[in-house]
């Protein structure tokens, strides 16, 4: 315990508490906090399969339940180029608003994920940049993004009142500044 030569009892208690706080900080400095397991975007195949059920119409683990109408919620899950789930589609129920779709997209990420940029340059889609520290640590080669579309074949112009499908992936630009356009 640290004591001051001129200190009384109250000052020794404050000094002792300060030393304890510093000791705890120093002890924790070298340790990494455990990272949340990624079970959606960025998940390993094992973690993904433990949290998703394959759809009956799935070909080689590319479609997962639940069903949204006659389509699998998770579609085109692509494992060939990356061992993590970083390239897949999400179907939304008819009438899903932009805000609802955004909430459902963020649920694919650990808590704390945010949409920090929306690009509506093209009338055919909306491109969102999603920031998630745990995902970005696991996948340092790009920033997560989603491209949102309206009803297929009905109108080539996306409406924020009826989002039907999103493609999730990562930006090709590691800084995430160039979000690209509609595929």
């Amino acid at each position: 315990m640290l004591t001051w030569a001129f200190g009384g009892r109250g000052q020794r208690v404050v000094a002792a508490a300060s030393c304890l706080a510093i000791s705890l900080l120093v002890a924790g400095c070298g340790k990494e906090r455990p990272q949340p397991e990624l079970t959606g975007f960025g998940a390993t195949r094992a973690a993904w399969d433990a949290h998703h059920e394959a759809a009956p119409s799935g070909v080689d683990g590319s479609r997962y339940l639940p069903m949204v109408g006659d389509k699998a919620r998770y579609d085109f899950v692509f494992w060939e180029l990356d061992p993590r789930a970083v390239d897949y589609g999400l179907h939304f129920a008819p009438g899903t608003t932009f805000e609802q779709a955004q909430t459902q997209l963020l649920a694919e990420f650990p808590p704390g994920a945010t949409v920090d940029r929306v690009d509506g340059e093209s009338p055919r889609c909306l491109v969102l940049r999603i920031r998630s520290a745990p995902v970005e640590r696991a996948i340092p080669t790009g920033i997560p993004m989603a491209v949102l579309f309206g009803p297929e074949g009905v109108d080539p112009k996306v409406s924020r009142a009826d989002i039907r499908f999103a493609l999730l992936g990562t930006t090709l630009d590691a800084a995430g500044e160039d979000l690209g356009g509609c595929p």
Side-chain angles (χ1 to χ4, degrees):
M1 177 191 335
L2 176 67
T3 58
W4 294 317
F6 57 89
R9 181 169 164 49
Q11 291 170 327
R12 283 193 298 268
V13 170
V14 169
S18 297
C19 287
L20 177 61
I22 290 169
S23 297
L24 290 174
L25 281 173
V26 171
C29 285
K31 297 179 183 175
E32 275 189 41
R33 283 189 261 161
Q35 298 302 315
E37 178 185 33
L38 301 177
T39 59
F41 191 88
T44 63
R45 180 71 184 258
W48 179 275
D49 285 345
H51 290 88
H52 296 84
E53 183 180 345
S57 62
V59 177
D60 193 28
S62 65
R63 291 184 171 86
Y64 294 84
L65 297 175
M67 298 300 285
V68 177
D70 62 347
K71 298 177 177 158
R73 166 88 167 141
Y74 298 94
D75 209 354
F76 311 113
V77 181
F78 192 65
W79 298 103
E80 283 73 22
L81 297 178
D82 199 298
R84 293 183 174 272
V86 295
D87 187 15
Y88 62 95
L90 281 179
H91 287 282
F92 301 106
T96 299
T97 66
F98 171 75
E99 291 77 18
Q100 292 167 329
Q102 190 170 273
T103 298
Q104 291 176 42
L105 282 169
L106 290 175
E108 295 296 305
F109 295 83
T114 60
V115 171
D116 79 336
R117 185 167 160 203
V118 177
D119 181 350
E121 250 181 60
S122 170
R124 295 184 331 109
C125 70
L126 294 166
V127 183
L128 285 64
R129 181 173 64 186
I130 301 168
R131 301 310 299 255
S132 169
V135 169
E136 290 175 39
R137 279 191 295 273
I139 307 163
T141 57
I143 306 296
M145 62 179 279
V147 184
L148 280 60
F149 299 93
E152 296 175 281
V154 176
D155 189 333
K157 185 175 180 183
V158 68
S159 164
R160 288 179 179 246
D162 193 10
I163 303 295
R164 298 286 182 94
F165 186 70
L167 283 174
L168 284 88
T170 57
T171 62
L172 298 176
D173 168 21
E177 295 305 319
D178 180 12
L179 299 182
C182 300

